[in-house]
Amino acid sequence: MASHVPYLGRPVTTVRGIAQAADRLAGDVLPPLVGLAARPSDDAGHSGLHALLSELRGSAAALEQAARAAAETRTLADGLPRASWVPGLDRARDQLVSQLQRTAPAMADMAVAGRVLPSMLGMDGPRRYIVVFQNTAEARGTGGLPGAFTVLTLDQGRPRFETFDIDTTLAHVRPDIDLGAEYRAQYGAMDPTGTWANSNVSPHFPYAARIWTAAWSKYSGQRVDGAAAVDPSALARLLQATGPGRLPDGTALTADNVLELTQRTSYARFADSRERKAFLLGVARAAATTFTGALSTPGQLPELLKAAYDITRQGRLKVWSAERREQSLLQQRPLAGALPSQPGPIAGVVVNNAAGGKLDYYLDRELHWIPGDCTRHGRKVTARVTLGNRAPASGLPPYVTQRVDDPPYPTRPGDNRVLVSYYASSGARLSGATLDGQPVTVGTSVERGHAVYTLDVELPAQSSRTLTLHLLEPISDRTPVLLNQPLVTPLRARLEAVSACE
């Protein structure tokens, strides 16, 4: 009864809601996690992972129920009122909301893992995947330039790396694959299905994965069950969990040096591209050897799983399954690297390198999303994208600063060029655009239902440029889903609060 008293009833409502949330978490969300966590953690290697996968499969239904309960509890907590005159209660409410913002997505990930991981890791028979290492010093839609790759077989949870190879092996393999008219209209000029270096220009990872698996199957004659992508930052996080590896020349491969070695030092150390590719292939082999060795070490499995989850949340590990049921489940979660299926609201900045050098190691990206007034035709939105080039004006190797684009204007070593695309909600309309305050015309297209606006931007060394888009988007009172393109330096995003339309 007290909760219905205007204004004075807010604290009562909030206390009751916090108690309900705590009861739901303790009774419906945590029990299946406690069951998994209670298993012995000192099992080594294949036996430990096999046992975990078996328990995960057996807990799949309970994890799905827990995920639903976590989502409902998050909705409950988000709706609890604030009472500024009871600051202690507001802090408790905010702490609960913050915890559920992490817990609810994690439970959804666990629910999907229970359904797909056992089969994908070979519990029902061997699985084969092509794993591509993305070089984030040269940006592509899913992250970085597709470089070296390995073919990985998983059998009962046991990994075996069949082969390692360099990107030139598949450089001009043209697989028999058609990704549809929309894809051809958007990316056909870049020939992504016939040019390995452009195979992942779209940020929708399932497109790249289908091209990679089809290319390897055509080249090798092997059946491939799926594809995955990792980058040097992902290797760094995994090496935190496993400890250092060892390169063929005896150099230690550590969490602290793998990004520097692969994205910067190798270009200064090896002028010959074949030597550089051989070095990077050695890095991939050393990381894989270290990873498989850690799986055989007692007590390492929990840390490895935590590292794998961290790089998944960061978008630095992406996975696609050729098995339709598995992929339909994966595509609901960040692990799939898929563009959101919902029409909006979404906001995202995607960069593709257009210069052909390796200067995206020095690229900074900022997004400021500002919702405005509502009209009968939609909500006004301003999207401000700032790109910065921290490359030094001298001292970089020619391979890093090369310009294969042959621009019709003078450039200096260190100058970069990018195609920057802004992804907006389905049905968004552009009312105007400026670059550094001057009006510009941007390309407009649609990808998987989302409006896309693209501009070719020259980015001189030691400078920044700002693209501002003025949009009219469908009315929504929700903060947009933020697309994540993982590059060396993460995107800095500022999404302003959305007010309800009157």
Side-chain angles (χ1 to χ4, degrees):
M1 292 176 61
S3 69
H4 292 283
V5 177
Y7 186 67
L8 297 177
R10 287 182 181 179
V12 179
T13 300
T14 300
V15 168
R16 183 179 62 190
I18 290 174
Q20 289 175 331
D23 180 66
R24 195 81 192 273
L25 286 170
D28 298 331
V29 178
L30 295 180
L33 292 182
V34 172
L36 284 173
R39 61 177 302 277
S41 62
D42 58 352
D43 289 343
H46 172 238
S47 60
L49 184 56
H50 186 278
L52 177 61
L53 291 174
S54 297
E55 292 187 25
L56 190 61
R57 171 174 279 175
S59 303
L63 289 170
E64 286 181 340
Q65 292 177 353
R68 285 193 294 271
E72 292 167 359
T73 306
R74 180 180 180 179
T75 300
L76 167 67
D78 287 342
L80 295 178
R82 297 175 59 85
S84 57
W85 50 281
V86 189
L89 184 56
D90 282 349
R91 286 195 297 270
R93 180 241 181 231
D94 292 345
Q95 184 181 30
L96 174 66
V97 168
S98 176
Q99 290 174 344
L100 283 166
Q101 285 175 345
R102 298 189 300 270
T103 302
M107 288 305 307
D109 290 335
M110 287 290 292
V112 171
R115 292 299 185 192
V116 303
L117 275 190
S119 57
M120 289 190 69
L121 296 185
M123 292 291 285
D124 301 322
R127 291 291 189 93
R128 178 183 288 119
Y129 302 93
I130 180 171
V131 182
V132 176
F133 299 93
Q134 298 190 113
N135 181 354
T136 46
E138 183 174 346
R140 290 294 187 272
T142 64
L145 183 77
F149 65 92
T150 182
V151 177
L152 168 67
T153 295
L154 290 158
D155 188 6
Q156 299 295 311
R158 187 194 303 275
R160 180 171 65 87
F161 293 90
E162 295 182 8
T163 185
F164 288 86
D165 216 329
I166 58 177
D167 53 349
T168 52
T169 300
L170 300 177
H172 301 295
V173 175
R174 184 172 290 278
D176 301 320
I177 184 172
D178 184 358
L179 296 174
E182 181 186 89
Y183 184 87
R184 291 194 301 273
Q186 178 86 336
Y187 301 109
M190 301 179 186
D191 190 28
T193 57
T195 303
W196 179 259
N198 289 339
S199 57
N200 60 339
V201 290
S202 167
H204 186 64
F205 179 69
Y207 285 150
R210 290 174 61 188
I211 294 172
W212 295 345
T213 54
W216 177 250
S217 294
K218 185 168 185 176
Y219 174 81
S220 67
Q222 287 184 330
R223 180 183 180 275
V224 184
D225 298 295
V230 294
D231 65 18
S233 298
L235 296 184
R237 179 63 186 92
L238 290 171
L239 287 168
Q240 273 187 341
T242 65
R246 188 71 57 181
L247 296 177
D249 64 1
T251 302
L253 184 69
T254 71
D256 295 328
N257 71 5
V258 63
L259 187 63
E260 181 83 1
L261 283 174
T262 57
Q263 307 286 267
R264 196 168 76 91
T265 305
S266 61
Y267 298 111
R269 183 175 174 184
F270 302 105
D272 184 275
S273 64
R274 290 171 298 182
E275 292 181 354
R276 183 175 58 255
K277 290 177 186 294
F279 172 78
L280 296 175
L281 207 58
V283 171
R285 284 195 179 99
T289 300
T290 305
F291 171 71
T292 53
L295 276 177
S296 302
T297 303
Q300 285 274 36
L301 184 57
E303 285 301 314
L304 281 172
L305 293 173
K306 185 176 186 301
Y309 187 70
D310 286 346
I311 61 178
T312 297
R313 300 300 299 176
Q314 295 166 7
R316 300 191 182 278
L317 170 64
K318 297 181 175 71
V319 174
W320 175 80
S321 173
E323 207 281 318
R324 185 172 298 178
R325 181 194 66 86
E326 293 171 351
Q327 180 59 23
S328 66
L329 291 170
L330 282 175
Q331 201 145 313
Q332 304 169 15
R333 308 306 306 156
L335 181 63
L339 285 174
S341 56
Q342 67 267 33
I346 72 165
V349 179
V350 176
V351 172
N352 274 286
N353 186 282
K358 299 295 181 287
L359 288 170
D360 295 329
Y361 182 89
Y362 304 98
L363 179 66
D364 290 328
R365 301 161 296 153
E366 295 183 15
L367 169 63
H368 188 188
W369 187 87
I370 309 166
D373 297 334
C374 297
T375 73
R376 59 185 184 138
H377 300 294
R379 182 190 291 276
K380 295 178 181 179
V381 170
T382 299
R384 187 171 296 125
V385 179
T386 301
L387 302 173
N389 180 3
R390 291 180 285 101
S394 62
L396 293 176
Y399 188 80
V400 173
T401 62
Q402 67 178 338
R403 295 294 297 260
V404 301
D405 56 325
D406 192 24
Y409 45 80
T411 62
R412 304 165 302 163
D415 291 353
N416 200 1
R417 181 181 176 186
V418 297
L419 292 176
V420 56
S421 297
Y422 178 79
Y423 281 69
S425 305
S426 176
R429 289 178 290 166
L430 182 70
S431 58
T434 62
L435 181 65
D436 300 332
Q438 299 300 313
V440 291
T441 300
V442 301
T444 61
S445 59
V446 175
E447 183 166 4
R448 299 186 65 80
H450 303 295
V452 185
Y453 305 99
T454 302
L455 185 66
D456 188 332
V457 178
E458 180 70 23
L459 195 57
Q462 297 293 300
S463 74
S464 65
R465 307 199 71 179
T466 298
L467 170 65
T468 302
L469 302 173
H470 299 285
L471 305 166
L472 190 65
E473 296 212 351
I475 292 175
S476 173
D477 59 359
R478 292 185 290 119
T479 301
V481 173
L482 183 66
L483 302 188
N484 178 26
Q485 181 193 25
L487 296 179
V488 177
T489 302
L491 171 72
R492 291 193 293 270
R494 179 183 172 191
L495 308 178
E496 299 288 354
V498 181
S499 59
C501 293
E502 296 181 359

